[in-house]
Amino acid sequence: MPTYTRTPNKSFWSITEAKEKDTPDTPVSATPDARSEIVRDEKGEPLYRGRIVGGKYLDNGEAPPPQDHEDNGPLKIVDIDMPLTLTELVQHEDGKQYIVVSFADGDKENPFNWNVWYKRSVTTMLNLMTLFIGLATTAYSSGINSMTRDFGVSAELGQVGLFTFNIACALAPMILAPFCEMVGRKVVYAGAYLCFTLLFIGLALGQNITTIIILRLFLGLFGCVGTILVGGTFDDMYEPLERGRPMAMFSFVAIFGTVAAPIYAGFIDQALGWRWIEGIQGLANVPLLIAIFLFFPETRGGVALHKRAKALCKATGDERYVAADDINTPSVKAMLKASSVKAVHMLATEPVVFAFGLWIAFCWAVVFLFLSAIPITFSEKRGWNEGVAGLPYISLCVGTTLGWAAHHYQRRKYQDLNADTSRKVLPESRLYGAMYGALFLPAGLFIYSFTQYAYLSWVGPTIALAPIAFGIYFVFEGTYSYTADCYGTSAGSAIAGQGLMRNTLGAVTPLFASQFFHNVGSQYAGLILALFGTSLSTIPFVMFKYGHVLRARSKLAREF
């Protein structure tokens, strides 16, 4: 059955068959496609096509010649400033007729047509925001011991702050993602990041552990609101085949920020105290917050088209002018069902979603377990002070960076496969990087496990952290790209389910991490993780061979 997909320059909503080439390199949004349909004639065409232009776009000679876009119907001139805009008369399923406005080719207000460097500046702001949110996730852990001593509570209670942050990231997108899609991007980014930044004031000045835990919950809430929109924002600006590079950078920054924070946070805690960990982070967010308010544009083309439609209604007295999003946006109930109920259902019933969700959740659990494991290895066993004991996290950053660099070989191979017209490209073609890159994760865990002994050099466990992070990056990349290819318009729900599993396990693990490594023994605890990692690393190999069988049995997977 044909699906309605967005085309950037012609009809704003066109009926096209879902094709392999239309699939982005990585998922584009956490909110699934649940739009209502537009009724057209028996050939799938709109009932009428037209063009509108007016105002300064005529007076300044900026209007196109009459023959431009003449296949889209006659040209109508209006008395307001209106760039060349295409229109389609359609009949909605509710029986009403609408004139849907859309961008013409080359329209400068269309985010797809923005200058490449302008797109990169927007992408950079998003990546910096993701970086600061990732740093806030784990920098807190470096000050837990001194904070709990000041408050006279147990360190385990201090770990609850990590739990509340991550559990907010796990549950909030299931509810908030649909509402974020209903308004423009900028208002959500600016509002959420403003609240995120202001919360550091409370975290730096909090007088009891209850205040800290509650503020960490809200910090996770507002932090996740920004990051869940990033994929959709890239979808607003980049064509599918251009989207892989910025999404790869986004994944890199998200992991890098999470593992990098203890490098500096330990020194801040040692020199200035735990409150300044929060205070300095809050101050560091201010320049980016100002940049977002001043320079971040609205990336949803539908917002600009909505303004044009409103202006045309006022100028012509014809209330039928609308943007496609005005009549195709699903109800809140439908979006909530897609982002929560469907997400959980797919996690429970789709083997592909569950298997990769378990794999990525394990990786996220390893990241948060090592917030306790690394201090045990270097502070308790080797007597390093708090600041120096955070330096081994540099190895995790190096591994993440190398993973991002190596990912380009996977992208190049996939592009070569796409260019080969003699073969059919399947989702399994996304798994080459995961099959080979992710093997570094259990290898690094084995090395770390058996080099923790105090009588051995610190070099062994430090070097072992790099392949761990290298493998984690490829698990993330393989999970998201393969899931997106397998499920098409249902990929948003599938990825939301995987995100729920990942963040929930990431929230729980800090609560028992210290006891796990102390009671089991850090060497044997590392060995257990290595064995689990080894077993889970078989997932991409199994999917590469049998993935087509599982997809054939699924009612939600795409057909190839």
Side-chain angles (χ1 to χ4, degrees):
M1 180 179 177
T3 57
Y4 290 83
T5 57
R6 184 179 301 184
T7 55
N9 290 318
K10 295 183 180 179
S11 168
F12 194 73
W13 290 99
S14 298
I15 301 179
T16 57
E17 295 293 339
K19 298 180 180 179
E20 166 66 26
K21 66 180 180 180
D22 292 329
T23 303
D25 285 346
T26 42
V28 297
S29 176
T31 303
D33 193 354
R35 303 179 181 95
S36 55
E37 295 186 355
I38 289 177
V39 180
R40 302 171 183 242
D41 65 18
E42 63 276 3
K43 295 182 180 180
E45 294 293 326
L47 304 178
Y48 175 82
R49 293 182 188 272
R51 298 168 293 159
I52 293 181
V53 71
K56 67 179 182 181
Y57 298 94
L58 282 172
D59 298 337
N60 297 336
E62 297 182 23
Q67 67 272 18
D68 193 19
H69 296 84
E70 61 183 4
D71 58 328
N72 286 284
L75 183 66
K76 179 179 180 179
I77 297 176
V78 291
D79 294 330
I80 58 173
D81 292 337
M82 180 62 56
L84 178 65
T85 303
L86 307 183
T87 61
E88 294 180 351
L89 177 64
V90 298
Q91 184 173 326
H92 195 254
E93 61 181 2
D94 60 10
K96 296 181 180 179
Q97 287 189 344
Y98 296 95
I99 302 176
V100 181
V101 299
S102 59
F103 292 118
D105 289 337
D107 194 315
K108 295 180 180 179
E109 290 189 17
N110 186 349
F112 285 98
N113 296 329
W114 287 348
N115 178 275
V116 62
W117 287 104
Y118 188 63
K119 291 183 183 180
R120 288 175 181 175
S121 67
V122 174
T123 302
T124 299
M125 282 190 279
L126 293 175
N127 284 331
L128 286 174
M129 183 176 63
T130 303
L131 175 66
F132 285 125
I133 293 170
L135 292 172
T137 306
T138 50
Y140 167 85
S141 65
S142 296
I144 285 178
N145 289 332
S146 57
M147 178 187 68
T148 52
R149 283 196 301 269
D150 285 354
F151 291 150
V153 297
S154 66
E156 287 74 19
L157 188 57
Q159 297 284 356
V160 175
L162 287 171
F163 168 81
T164 54
F165 186 101
N166 281 305
I167 204 66
C169 292
L171 299 178
M174 311 289 287
I175 301 172
L176 296 179
F179 295 99
C180 292
E181 291 291 334
M182 294 177 66
V183 297
R185 308 286 190 198
K186 180 170 182 175
V187 64
V188 176
Y189 281 128
Y193 201 60
L194 173 63
C195 295
F196 177 82
T197 303
L198 291 175
L199 284 169
F200 284 103
I201 299 175
L203 287 167
L205 301 176
Q207 297 302 307
N208 56 71
I209 192 63
T210 303
T211 300
I212 300 298
I213 290 173
I214 293 175
L215 289 177
R216 285 284 296 180
L217 176 70
F218 284 103
L219 195 71
L221 172 67
F222 291 112
C224 80
V225 167
T227 56
I228 61 178
L229 293 181
V230 172
T233 304
F234 290 155
D235 186 26
D236 294 338
M237 299 186 296
Y238 294 101
E239 298 283 4
L241 293 180
E242 299 173 343
R243 205 174 296 140
R245 191 179 298 274
M247 280 303 297
M249 176 58 74
F250 166 70
S251 299
F252 161 70
V253 169
I255 300 172
F256 185 93
T258 304
V259 300
I263 297 172
Y264 65 83
F267 285 109
I268 295 175
D269 183 47
Q270 186 176 318
L272 301 173
W274 65 271
R275 294 185 184 277
W276 277 103
I277 295 177
E278 308 299 338
I280 291 174
Q281 285 190 120
L283 292 172
N285 281 290
V286 172
L288 179 59
L289 177 66
I290 295 172
I292 290 174
F293 268 90
L294 295 180
F295 305 116
F296 194 88
E298 177 53 61
T299 64
R300 291 194 69 172
V303 174
L305 291 171
H306 174 78
K307 292 179 180 178
R308 291 189 191 183
K310 288 293 185 183
L312 287 170
C313 288
K314 184 176 181 181
T316 64
D318 191 340
E319 297 295 328
R320 293 178 299 169
Y321 286 102
V322 295
D325 284 353
D326 296 336
I327 55 176
N328 287 321
T329 301
S331 65
V332 174
K333 181 179 179 180
M335 289 193 289
L336 283 173
K337 182 178 180 180
S339 67
S340 55
V341 177
K342 186 178 179 181
V344 175
H345 174 77
M346 291 186 71
L347 184 64
T349 60
E350 293 289 327
V352 170
V353 178
F354 178 80
F356 279 96
L358 180 62
W359 198 22
I360 199 172
F362 170 78
C363 292
W364 211 231
V366 167
V367 170
F368 284 92
L369 285 170
F370 269 68
L371 293 177
S372 295
I374 290 176
I376 291 173
T377 301
F378 296 98
S379 290
E380 294 184 14
K381 293 185 176 183
R382 290 172 171 81
W384 293 10
N385 65 46
E386 184 181 6
V388 176
L391 294 179
Y393 287 91
I394 294 174
S395 184
L396 288 171
C397 295
V398 171
T400 305
T401 305
L402 292 175
W404 170 76
H407 162 69
H408 289 78
Y409 290 101
Q410 159 69 23
R411 290 187 65 248
R412 187 179 303 170
K413 181 173 182 62
Y414 185 77
Q415 289 170 353
D416 291 342
L417 292 173
N418 261 321
D420 186 355
T421 56
S422 65
R423 63 175 297 172
K424 186 176 183 180
V425 181
L426 299 173
E428 286 70 34
S429 300
R430 300 281 194 183
L431 295 176
Y432 289 104
M435 286 190 290
Y436 297 106
L439 291 176
F440 284 83
L441 171 60
L445 288 170
F446 274 115
I447 296 172
Y448 190 88
S449 175
F450 291 109
T451 58
Q452 291 186 62
Y453 298 98
Y455 58 83
L456 296 177
S457 170
W458 59 269
V459 175
T462 301
I463 292 178
L465 293 172
I468 290 173
F470 185 90
I472 287 174
Y473 181 86
F474 275 98
V475 174
F476 272 67
E477 189 279 329
T479 294
Y480 289 143
S481 59
Y482 183 72
T483 303
D485 268 16
C486 282
Y487 292 99
T489 55
S490 295
S493 296
I495 292 167
Q498 292 170 338
L500 172 66
M501 195 174 189
R502 172 174 63 89
N503 285 304
T504 299
L505 194 56
V508 172
T509 47
L511 300 179
F512 63 82
S514 180
Q515 296 89 331
F516 176 57
F517 282 98
H518 281 112
N519 296 337
V520 177
S522 56
Q523 290 81 13
Y524 293 106
L527 178 61
I528 292 171
L529 293 176
L531 293 174
F532 267 108
T534 301
S535 62
L536 291 174
S537 292
T538 62
I539 289 175
F541 293 94
V542 173
M543 293 300 174
F544 189 83
K545 186 171 184 179
Y546 299 106
H548 66 285
V549 178
L550 295 174
R551 286 188 285 104
R553 295 177 180 175
S554 172
K555 296 180 180 179
L556 297 173
R558 293 173 57 203
E559 296 181 3
F560 288 83

